[in-house]
Amino acid sequence: MANLPTYIGAEQVQSVLRYDALVARLEVALGRFSLGAAGGVVQPLRAIVPVSPHSGWLLVMPAYSAGDEALATKLVTSYSGNAGGPFPTHQATILLLDPANGSLRAIMDGRIITDMRTAAVSAIATKYLSPPESRILCILGAGAQAHSHYQVLMQMFHFDEVRVWSQTWESAERFAGAAGGAVTPRRSAEEAARGADVIVTVTMATDPVLRGAWVKPGALVNVVGANRPTWREVDDDLMQSAVIYVDCREAASRESGDIILSGANIFAELGEVINGSKPAHREKTTVFKSQGLAVEDAVAAKLVYDSLQ
Ligand SMILES: NC(=O)c1ccc[n+]([C@@H]2O[C@H](COP(=O)([O-])OP(=O)(O)OC[C@H]3O[C@@H](n4cnc5c(N)ncnc54)[C@H](O)[C@@H]3O)[C@@H](O)[C@H]2O)c1
Ligand SMILES: O=C(O)[C@@H]1CCCCN1
């Protein structure tokens, strides 16, 4: 009889998942994804179920990567009303299956993986697209993604100065306190963003929190939030003046308000830059629009599972 599936909780995921290994795997996975059928990644557009009475969303995200022997689906919920309460705004579970026979191998916490793989992908975008000798990092938002982005970006790059802005001064101060000396809270998004070389937007905003007028020419903006067709995190000015990179053309064109409502042209997928088929315009102002890909979760979950064998 087949073995029962293993349950892998958040603490266990956290104890084995390391950014260096994750970034390396995701860079390969993004490259494969952007090769199309030749890359061996199968990933339909995710199903998104509104839970309207509770202002929530359920996203079902399946993917298979032949090169990684990873078959999984993530169930992730996004409930902005959970902010400040006992439940996180984003909660997730990943089901990892055996591609050889379709049997369930593991049921795994997906919250830590969501936080870490999203930040790791932004770090890969930063590696390819940020201006050389970037010194100042700006983080808009102070939640789970702000923390994971801070961790991986400080691990992979050298920033002399890190600024954070959030909806409330208290949350920005709390973030700075938890992060340690290098981070200073700012009173406004404009104050935080002006002069920064790399900007990360990781908010639950539905209207722009960042204006193109504040962005230093040549900077990279990793736009991580506003993952609904009517939601915005950045304004038209930025979207129309920057070179736009995305994780997945199809997802960005269908799900991202910043892409759809600005009418901005997508220049390339990050995987195309990794594969060398599209250039990285480091000298220009760039936006990396991240929507989040199921293949990132599948590869991360396989990495966790293998680390525990
Ligand atoms: N691209 C991806 O792969 C991906 C993956 C996971 C989460 N996300 C998105 O990233 C964003 C951050 O997620 P999180 O898990 O850190 O959430 P979180 O709830 O932990 O943090 C959200 C932050 O945004 C701030 N905020 C909320 N409403 C705001 C508003 N109207 N204006 C400005 N700031 C506001 C909050 O104060 C908080 O600091 C969300 O939009 C989420 O859906 C994207
Ligand atoms: O890829 C993800 O996991 C997230 C979930 C929340 C909405 C945006 N994308």
Side-chain angles (χ1 to χ4, degrees):
M1 204 179 92
N3 290 336
L4 285 172
T6 314
Y7 179 74
I8 305 173
E11 291 79 18
Q12 249 185 317
V13 173
Q14 195 140 37
S15 71
V16 294
L17 197 53
R18 295 278 166 273
Y19 277 120
D20 46 3
L22 182 61
V23 165
R25 290 287 178 97
L26 290 178
E27 191 168 330
V28 173
L30 291 169
R32 285 179 174 147
F33 174 75
S34 292
L35 286 174
V41 174
V42 183
Q43 183 194 277
L45 196 66
R46 57 193 169 191
I48 304 182
V49 180
V51 192
S52 304
H54 302 286
S55 307
W57 306 86
L58 167 67
L59 294 82
V60 183
M61 302 176 59
Y64 169 53
S65 170
D68 296 279
E69 272 295 276
L71 176 66
T73 189
K74 181 168 82 171
L75 306 175
V76 54
T77 53
S78 178
Y79 278 63
S80 55
N82 284 358
F87 300 106
T89 54
H90 296 84
Q91 300 170 85
T93 303
I94 298 174
L95 305 179
L96 184 71
L97 304 140
D98 186 335
N101 51 36
S103 75
L104 182 62
R105 279 288 173 81
I107 302 166
M108 194 178 300
D109 167 80
R111 186 174 57 83
I112 302 294
I113 285 179
T114 299
D115 292 349
M116 290 183 69
R117 64 74 152 144
T118 307
V121 169
S122 295
I124 295 166
T126 302
K127 172 178 151 186
Y128 284 94
L129 302 175
S130 62
E133 292 166 37
S134 292
R135 276 197 340 95
I136 302 177
L137 170 65
C138 161
I139 302 176
L140 303 182
Q145 289 292 341
H147 282 280
S148 56
H149 277 73
Y150 175 72
Q151 278 167 11
V152 69
L153 291 172
M154 295 308 277
Q155 190 174 310
M156 281 181 56
F157 306 97
H158 179 79
F159 291 103
D160 304 330
E161 191 184 335
V162 184
R163 305 157 176 181
V164 64
W165 167 85
S166 188
Q167 234 177 349
T168 64
W169 172 250
E170 292 71 31
S171 61
E173 264 195 321
R174 224 177 10 254
F175 180 93
V183 182
T184 52
R186 296 295 171 120
R187 294 274 173 195
S188 70
E190 177 175 0
E191 204 192 303
R194 278 200 188 271
D197 302 294
V198 175
I199 300 173
V200 180
T201 61
V202 275
T203 71
M204 292 288 277
T206 53
D207 292 304
V209 294
L210 179 67
R211 311 229 160 258
W214 310 336
V215 175
K216 177 175 161 178
L220 163 66
V221 186
N222 289 297
V223 181
V224 177
N227 307 116
R228 297 289 310 151
T230 55
W231 293 359
R232 302 294 301 265
E233 230 181 4
V234 301
D235 71 356
D236 283 356
D237 182 16
L238 177 63
M239 290 304 291
Q240 288 163 5
S241 58
V243 183
I244 309 294
Y245 296 84
V246 297
D247 46 9
C248 166
R249 279 176 197 275
E250 186 191 11
S253 310
R254 301 275 290 272
E255 297 176 353
S256 161
D258 286 316
I259 298 282
I260 296 164
L261 300 175
S262 69
N265 286 323
I266 296 171
F267 176 71
E269 289 183 348
L270 181 56
E272 294 176 298
V273 177
I274 293 167
N275 292 336
S277 58
K278 285 287 174 75
H281 283 298
R282 278 176 180 278
E283 73 294 354
K284 297 188 179 163
T285 305
T286 50
V287 162
F288 171 59
K289 178 67 205 98
S290 164
Q291 286 295 110
L293 304 185
V295 68
E296 299 161 3
D297 299 305
V299 166
K302 181 72 169 23
L303 182 59
V304 167
Y305 184 81
D306 288 347
S307 311
L308 290 166
Q309 296 317 298

